[in-house]
Amino acid sequence: MLRSKKFRDRVDALSLKLPIIGGIVHDSVVARFSRTLSTTFAAGVPLVEALESTAGAAGNATYSAGISKSAMT
């Protein structure tokens, strides 16, 4: 059941809306994204490519979709 993309998307979106857990999940995702983007960009990877590769490392489908969308624009 967790392998379904639709189910995973809903669980990730719901986890961000939970009263206490949502803040922890948000901070965790932002920290992981920032650390990965910083390392990738410092290695000389162009920003757009770094964003594309970092989107998968965010750890949350909602954030991954947003990062991917921003990399395309």
Side-chain angles (χ1 to χ4, degrees), residues 1 3 7-9 13-14 19-20 22 24 29-30 34-35 39 44-45 47-49 51 57-59 61-62 67 70:
M1 188 172 216
R3 295 180 188 258
F7 180 75
R8 187 183 71 236
D9 291 348
L14 178 65
I20 296 172
I24 296 169
V29 170
V30 170
S34 300
R35 187 172 44 250
T39 303
V45 178
L47 183 58
V48 174
E49 291 178 25
L51 282 171
T62 305
I67 296 166
S70 67

Side-chain angles (χ1 to χ4, degrees), residues 5-69:
K5 182 179 176 352
K6 189 174 184 179
F7 180 75
R8 187 183 71 236
D9 291 348
R10 287 186 181 181
V11 169
D12 285 348
L14 178 65
S15 69
L16 292 170
K17 294 179 182 179
L18 295 174
I20 296 172
I21 303 298
I24 296 169
V25 170
H26 168 76
D27 291 346
S28 167
V29 170
V30 170
R32 188 177 307 120
F33 164 73
S34 300
R35 187 172 44 250
T36 306
L37 182 63
S38 173
T39 303
T40 308
F41 193 61
V45 178
L47 183 58
V48 174
E49 291 178 25
L51 282 171
E52 290 170 353
S53 65
T54 305
N60 185 292
T62 305
Y63 280 93
S64 293
I67 296 166
S68 295
K69 187 176 178 180

